[in-house]
Amino acid sequence: MTPTETPAGTRIDAHHHLWDLSRRPQPWLEPPHVASIHRDFTPSDYAAAAAEAGIGRSVLVQVLADAQETREFLALAEQSPTIAAVVGWADLTRPDLADELAALAAAPGGHLLRGIRHLVQGEEDPRWIARDDVRRGLRDVAAAGLVYDLLVLPHQLPAAIETVRAVPELSFVLDHLAKPPITSGLLEPWAGLVRDLAAEPNVTAKLSGLITEAAWDDWDAATLRPYADVALDAFGPGRLMFGSDWPVCLLAGSLPAWAETAQTLLTDAGLTAAERDEVFRGTATRVYRL
């Protein structure tokens, strides 16, 4: 290991989840094809997987559109030696969003709230993110000193690009590279849209979620490389961060397997040790103020 390589245990996972089915059911896990992760995933479960992958700190991300889940995640994070930040949920369309964000910040563990996310990918309206009431909420997120995690599908990227340009004061983080069509092998129009989004200086992105966009039982670094290369070229290592998407990633592979694959993708792309450290640590540290 060179002096600038990320030491074991200091990698940052910028994107993972937790859930306790006894406290909060997860209806999206009921279909048979995701039955393998239809069980509880606790902070200790995550800590064990993270340690095996050389991860020392993490960002816990909302799962449901439920403000109480966010409060529970903040309380969990305050007690966890691994979870360093939380990206929670709040209703962007509520007129009193600023008050709700202040209440979350004042809750137990509220000092660890770093961002807000909504499951835009599930909205039927492809332009939901561009609605006036949503943009007003995004400005409230910016005023609260938080970032916004952008979870969209490729067909929603045009509206996302417009919104990023319309709210330049807000730092956006693209989750899962907008879920590229890896199983099809196609790059366009996804690649061009990601490049357009990356042209905006207030956007960073997560190298995450790729293995579950590939065929779950038939992927390798070569399968993912064209999509990772687009992200690296568009954002550069200084605006790209590693995320596991654990435990969702378990549908296609373990956290250590994905971390090792990400390392391979970065190395094969010619990144220096210092540049790989940006993806595995530096970018997330800056964006989420860890």
Side-chain angles (χ1 to χ4, degrees):
M1 184 176 72
T2 63
T4 53
E5 190 72 82
T6 307
T10 62
R11 285 175 171 173
I12 294 172
D13 178 358
H15 195 107
H16 76 92
H17 307 289
L18 299 171
W19 52 77
D20 178 343
L21 299 179
S22 68
R23 295 182 64 85
R24 188 160 287 102
Q26 305 284 336
W28 65 283
L29 291 176
E30 293 173 2
H33 70 287
V34 292
S36 63
I37 59 170
H38 192 197
R39 59 183 178 86
D40 294 347
F41 288 95
T42 68
S44 60
D45 293 332
Y46 174 74
E52 189 178 350
I55 292 164
R57 291 186 295 168
S58 72
V59 179
L60 174 59
V61 179
Q62 64 89 218
V63 182
L64 301 176
D66 186 331
Q68 187 55 36
E69 177 195 70
T70 297
R71 287 176 169 81
E72 291 177 8
F73 279 1
L74 291 168
L76 281 175
E78 190 171 42
Q79 301 301 317
S80 169
T82 305
I83 302 168
V86 172
V87 173
W89 180 86
D91 183 356
L92 294 176
T93 67
R94 59 186 293 174
D96 62 343
L97 177 60
D99 294 337
E100 171 64 9
L101 295 177
L104 287 174
H111 62 286
L112 297 174
L113 183 67
R114 293 292 187 272
I116 295 295
R117 186 177 83 149
H118 177 72
L119 304 179
V120 181
Q121 66 174 10
E123 295 290 343
E124 292 185 8
D125 179 3
R127 294 188 54 77
W128 184 89
I129 194 71
R131 282 172 27 177
D132 288 344
D133 55 348
V134 173
R135 287 187 179 178
R136 182 190 64 237
L138 291 172
R139 293 186 179 97
D140 286 341
V141 172
L146 303 172
V147 305
Y148 183 76
D149 267 39
L150 188 59
L151 180 63
V152 294
L153 299 175
H155 75 281
Q156 297 168 321
L157 279 169
I161 294 165
E162 291 177 29
T163 298
V164 164
R165 291 170 178 165
V167 192
E169 67 271 29
L170 178 59
S171 175
F172 290 83
V173 182
L174 180 65
D175 287 353
H176 312 327
L177 300 181
K179 298 196 169 182
I182 298 175
T183 54
S184 72
L186 298 175
L187 283 173
E188 299 297 347
W190 166 83
L193 291 167
V194 165
R195 292 181 191 280
D196 287 345
L197 183 67
E200 303 307 314
N202 55 326
V203 186
T204 54
K206 294 179 184 178
L207 187 65
S208 63
L210 296 188
I211 64 175
T212 46
E213 295 307 311
W216 294 352
D217 59 353
D218 185 23
W219 63 268
D220 57 16
T223 306
L224 309 179
R225 184 169 293 116
Y227 303 91
D229 285 350
V230 168
L232 283 165
D233 182 61
F235 289 98
R239 290 199 294 146
L240 198 62
M241 64 189 90
F242 170 80
S244 71
D245 199 26
W246 185 95
V248 180
C249 71
L250 297 177
L251 295 168
S254 69
L255 196 167
W258 163 233
E260 183 62 28
T261 300
Q263 177 80 6
T264 297
L265 291 169
L266 301 179
T267 302
D268 289 352
L271 270 66
T272 65
E275 289 171 331
R276 294 193 296 271
D277 184 66
E278 283 291 283
V279 178
F280 274 110
R281 188 180 61 84
T283 302
T285 298
R286 290 190 299 274
V287 171
Y288 290 114
R289 296 181 285 112
L290 303 182

